[in-house]
């Protein structure tokens, strides 16, 4: 029993933080807002790949670092804190699914490239009306339907598409090349202008068992990728919230009104204290969830939903109050606050919002009591 | 990071579980509950605490020389979980165990530790805390109770108030003014006072819950041996800060979490049997959201404690971070009991004593008691000041 990160894990966090402090900036991020190209920052991707981030979850035999989700926790927090744009985190989420569910051939085909920073794989799992349906063909299936909010689909080499299999009413993840015939992408207009996402349509895309992650339908794989995404979102929200609280405290100490720094007013300082309580409690939940995922603990479902629900609410509170504490300038486009707010809000509604996760958690708790 | 328990810890858990089951009355938590009568309830808690002690479950992580078991904080956390699972009663000597003991371990003389610590564990001596006065609450340094040296004694005069369990306590640790001329924080000393000394009058005060846990304590020429001074003369303020850190810290919180998790468990049962809109309350989606929120918050309270324990195990001091635990759980528990009353719905106005009230009025009492959580051990406003000023570095 130990709730601490190891010295190595903290060292990795420090190296990511100092790399981002040197090589990355909000000014660079802002370029993505005006960018009408693909928005992909190749230099940042290469730099983070050189630090080994996409290799973290890949087994050593396949060129990776052979680490687990706990090793990712602080890295994800830093990615949130610096608003690192995709598809790095999305690729990590997909990597987790490939490591756990991929066939030997799939692992060999994908993981070394991911570890080396050559391959980008993103999940395409957001529920929308016309979910992709696979109907059987001779020697495989034909896939039609669409997925919305597929992050960075145009920059991805592969999509992991959550699919329903018509015949046996099962679910599974299918590896699809976004450039392949029958796949079309429409760039979506997003609340977070530093993100990219696509509505991806599938029109009779033919695939075989070799493209189904694990070789056949697997509801567990679909659930797992959602859980990994939820925990990654929770950890990133902690990073963003921590950054927002830093900004709120710094501003409150420096802004003078009525002859005093506004941070001397209890209405402000007490709010900051409440923000800290929620931030730290959110971290507690998020860290625990990374462990539960890494060790496939029986309480994983509860831990994941607890983290996503609590961190979502905490991030909402902290981001909103940080803007309030800044007054008028908090509403100015030129300040970066809204960029944190927009990313955090997007994460809040990604991989299941707080309401959905509370419902899921209660269902699991009640089922557990029934069984006991 | 690893939440697996070692084989040794798992064995410890099985032992604890076995012992608790064997020692709680049969049917405990289902057909048998704590008595409604307050005095009987406290005596029951004291008896249970003594039973735990004789079973070897008290002071698990304390050093052996003071009666402890030399076990780990992790095992202490496991015991807390098992007590919660069984719905075991709380203790009566919480102040002695959680406040007096760590304060003496930090600041007491060896003689004081040997004299007092073993009897705290065995519950032969129950303790109370004499900090607050009528005009010194949040502004504790305004305290006026005086202690004047007279030979090898101090003579104490004044009044303490809101003194919890003073009517059951054999001992009280007390803040007294020993130098009225010094600046406020520099004239205060920390004394251990035997509650059986002539000149002490304890008058129970009725609380909003109807109970009388706290008291007024009057001190009229109370003679306290000089050897009962803890630390330096006029050095009491720093010692009081140590006490408060423990009062707000993870060990205290974990012991309380036992009760919240037990009550939450009961609440989930009640939510199945209560009906609203012609269906079980547990089917109401709005209520489900609140119950799920409560499950999450109670679990995070436990995990927050474990996270602090890990810091302590690494030898990092808790300091002002303790205020974060207290601020978290006090508001969490208030939300929990509000949700409990919402679950009772139309039957919420029935209270303990009415045969039709679900869970015997447990949640109504819990709700009333929870209003005190954000007041004692330093109000939430004071905790927020501490966090903002000492953790976040904001201006005074
Ligand atoms: C059930 C219970 C048990 C208790 N047990 C004990 C005990 O065993 N021993 C003991 O010594 N004491 C005990 N107390 C007393 C408790 O510690 C005090 O009530 C508490 O410290 C607040 O002091 P006060 O009651 O004088 O309120 P006040 O200090 O008068 O506070 C009144 C209100 O003003 C606010 N306030 C005060 N100062 C500030 C400030 N600087 N900034 C913003 N707001 C402020 C407070 O937050 C509060 O809301 C107990 C209290 C309760 C309710």
């Amino acid at each position: 029993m130990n709730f601490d990160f190891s010295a190595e894990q903290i060292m990795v966090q420090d190296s990511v933080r100092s790399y981002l402090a040197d090589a990355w900036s909000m000014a660079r991020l802002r370029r993505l807002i005006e960018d009408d190209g693909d928005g992909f920052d190749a230099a940042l991707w290469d730099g983070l790949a050189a630090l080994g981030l996409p290799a973290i979850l890949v087994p050593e035999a396949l060129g990776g670092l052979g680490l687990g989700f706990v090793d990712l926790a602080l890295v994800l927090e830093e990615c949130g804190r610096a608003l690192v744009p995709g598809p790095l985190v999305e690729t990590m989420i997909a990597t987790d699914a490939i490591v756990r569910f991929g066939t030997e051939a799939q692992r060999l085909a994908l993981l070394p490239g991911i570890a080396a920073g050559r391959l980008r794989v993103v999940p395409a799992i957001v529920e929308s009306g016309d979910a992709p349906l696979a109907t059987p063909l001779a020697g495989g299936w034909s896939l039609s339907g669409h997925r919305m909010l597929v992050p960075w689909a145009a920059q991805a080499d592969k999509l992991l598409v959550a699919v329903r299999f018509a015949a046996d009413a099962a679910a599974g993840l299918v590896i699809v090349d976004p450039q392949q015939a029958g796949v079309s992408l429409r760039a979506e207009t997003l609340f977070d202008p530093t993100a990219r996402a696509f509505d991806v349509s599938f029109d009779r895309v033919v695939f075989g068992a070799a493209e189904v992650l694990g070789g056949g339908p697997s509801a567990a794989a679909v659930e797992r990728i959602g859980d990994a995404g939820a925990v990654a979102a929770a950890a990133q929200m902690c990073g963003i919230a921590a950054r927002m609280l830093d900004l709120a405290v710094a501003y409150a100490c420096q802004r003078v009104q009525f002859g005093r720094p506004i941070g001397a007013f209890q209405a402000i300082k007490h709010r900051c204290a409440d923000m800290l309580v929620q931030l730290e409690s959110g971290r507690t939940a998020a860290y625990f969830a990374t462990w539960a995922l890494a060790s496939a603990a029986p309480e994983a479902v509860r831990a994941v939903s607890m983290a996503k629900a609590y961190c979502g609410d905490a991030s909402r509170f902290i981001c909103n109050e940080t803007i309030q504490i800044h007054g008028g300038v908090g509403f100015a486009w030129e300040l970066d606050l809204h960029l944190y707010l927009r990313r955090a809000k997007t994460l809040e509604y990604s991989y299941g919002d707080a309401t959905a996760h509370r419902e899921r958690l209660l269902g699991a708790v009640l089922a557990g009591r029934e069984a006991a | 990071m690893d939440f697996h328990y070692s084989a040794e810890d798992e064995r410890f858990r099985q032992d604890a579980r076995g012992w608790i089951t064997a020692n709680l009355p049969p049917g405990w938590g289902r057909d048998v509950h704590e008595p409604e009568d307050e005095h009987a309830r406290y005596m029951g808690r004291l008896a249970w605490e003594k039973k735990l002690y004789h079973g070897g479950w008290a002071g698990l992580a304390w050093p052996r020389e003071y009666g402890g078991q030399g076990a780990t904080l992790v095992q202490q956390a496991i015991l807390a979980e098992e007590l919660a699972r069984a719905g075991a009663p709380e203790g009566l000597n919480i102040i002695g165990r959680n406040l007096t003991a760590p304060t003496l371990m930090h600041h007491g003389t060896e003689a004081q530790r040997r004299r007092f610590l073993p009897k705290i564990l065995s519950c032969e001596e129950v303790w109370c805390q004499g900090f607050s006065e009528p005009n010194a609450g949040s502004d504790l340094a305004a305290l006026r109770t005086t202690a004047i040296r007279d030979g090898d004694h101090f003579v104490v005069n004044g009044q303490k108030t809101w003194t919890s369990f003073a009517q059951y306590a054999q001992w009280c640790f007390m803040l007294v003014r020993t130098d009225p001329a010094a600046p406020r924080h520099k004239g205060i000393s920390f004394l251990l006072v035997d509650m059986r000394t002539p000149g002490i009058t304890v008058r129970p005060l009725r609380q909003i819950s109807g109970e009388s846990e706290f008291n007024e304590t009057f001190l009229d020429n109370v003679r306290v041996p000089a050897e009962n001074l803890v630390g330096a003369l006029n050095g009491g303020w720093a010692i009081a800060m140590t006490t408060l850190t423990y009062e707000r810290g993870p060990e205290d919180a974990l012991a309380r979490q036992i009760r919240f998790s037990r009550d939450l468990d009961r609440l989930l049962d009640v939510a199945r049997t209560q009906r609203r809109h012609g269906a079980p309350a547990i089917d109401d989606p709005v209520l489900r959201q609140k119950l799920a929120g409560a499950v999450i918050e109670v679990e995070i309270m436990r995990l927050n404690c474990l996270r602090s324990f890990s810091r302590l195990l690494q030898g990092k001091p808790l300091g002002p971070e303790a205020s974060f635990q207290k601020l978290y759980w006090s508001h969490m528990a208030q939300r929990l009991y509000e949700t409990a009353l919402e679950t009772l719905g139309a039957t919420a106005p029935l209270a303990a004593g009415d045969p039709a009230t679900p869970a015997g009025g447990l949640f109504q009492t819990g709700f009333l008691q929870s209003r005190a959580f954000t007041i004692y051990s330093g109000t939430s406003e004071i905790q927020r000041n501490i966090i903002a000023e000492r953790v976040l570095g904001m201006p005074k």
Side-chain angles (χ1 to χ4, degrees), chain A residues 128 130-133 143-147 182 184 199-204:
Chain A
S128 58
D130 174 24
L133 185 69
L143 183 67
S144 289
H146 80 115
R147 284 272 172 224
S184 49
D199 189 294
V200 180
S201 303
F202 307 92
D203 182 19
R204 286 159 292 165

Side-chain angles (χ1 to χ4, degrees), chain A residues 7-80:
Chain A
E8 294 78 46
Q9 286 161 340
I10 289 170
M11 229 166 64
V12 172
Q13 176 186 32
D14 288 345
S15 68
V16 173
R17 188 180 285 203
S18 66
Y19 171 79
L20 289 170
D22 290 346
W24 179 241
S25 66
M26 293 303 278
R28 274 253 307 271
L29 179 70
R30 274 175 180 267
R31 277 195 235 149
L32 294 183
I33 301 175
E34 311 304 336
D35 190 318
D36 39 17
D38 63 7
F40 179 67
D41 190 318
L44 175 67
W45 173 273
D46 291 343
L48 291 171
L51 274 180
L53 302 200
I56 290 178
L57 293 176
V58 176
E60 280 174 293
L62 297 172
L65 299 172
L67 300 171
F69 233 90
V70 177
D71 303 281
L72 225 47
L74 297 175
V75 170
L76 289 166
E77 226 183 290
E78 292 307 315
C79 290

Side-chain angles (χ1 to χ4, degrees), chain B residues 242-278:
Chain B
T242 302
T243 313
L244 291 178
T245 298
Y246 281 93
E247 185 169 18
R248 297 161 185 172
E251 288 180 64
D252 176 81
L254 193 63
R256 293 174 187 276
Q257 201 265 354
I258 298 175
R259 171 188 170 189
F260 302 143
S261 111
R262 183 188 67 195
D263 287 0
L264 174 60
D265 212 50
R266 192 88 188 273
L267 182 61
L268 293 176
D269 284 337
V270 167
R272 296 186 154 188
T273 50
Q274 280 298 109
R275 295 186 69 81
R276 61 165 66 192
H277 317 308

Side-chain angles (χ1 to χ4, degrees), chain A residues 266 270, chain B residues 95 99 127-140 160-166 172-173 175 207 209 213-215 244 247-248 369 371-385 389:
Chain A
Q266 287 188 340
H270 284 190
Chain B
I95 293 176
L99 307 190
W127 284 73
C128 63
Q129 174 183 24
F131 280 15
S132 304
E133 297 182 5
N135 290 306
S138 299
D139 188 11
L140 185 56
K160 295 292 173 183
T161 192
W162 319 126
T163 331
S164 299
F165 305 116
C172 179
F173 59 84
L175 291 180
Q207 305 175 167
S209 57
E213 185 184 289
F214 60 30
N215 303 269
L244 291 178
E247 185 169 18
R248 297 161 185 172
Q369 289 171 341
R371 301 320 310 168
F373 297 163
T374 50
I375 298 171
Y376 62 55
S377 311
T379 67
S380 293
E381 288 71 28
I382 296 306
Q383 312 295 353
R384 292 188 181 108
N385 279 346
E389 289 163 16

Side-chain angles (χ1 to χ4, degrees), chain A residues 53-127:
Chain A
L53 302 200
I56 290 178
L57 293 176
V58 176
E60 280 174 293
L62 297 172
L65 299 172
L67 300 171
F69 233 90
V70 177
D71 303 281
L72 225 47
L74 297 175
V75 170
L76 289 166
E77 226 183 290
E78 292 307 315
C79 290
R81 191 184 176 85
L83 296 185
V84 168
L88 176 67
V89 173
E90 289 78 5
T91 295
M92 291 169 165
I93 294 164
T95 304
D96 171 74
I98 299 165
V99 169
R100 281 184 182 264
F101 291 95
T103 62
E104 200 49 40
Q106 288 164 344
R107 287 157 56 101
L108 270 171
L110 298 172
L111 295 175
I114 290 174
R118 285 193 316 272
L119 257 171
R120 296 185 280 276
V121 185
V122 301
I125 62 171
V126 176
E127 277 307 327

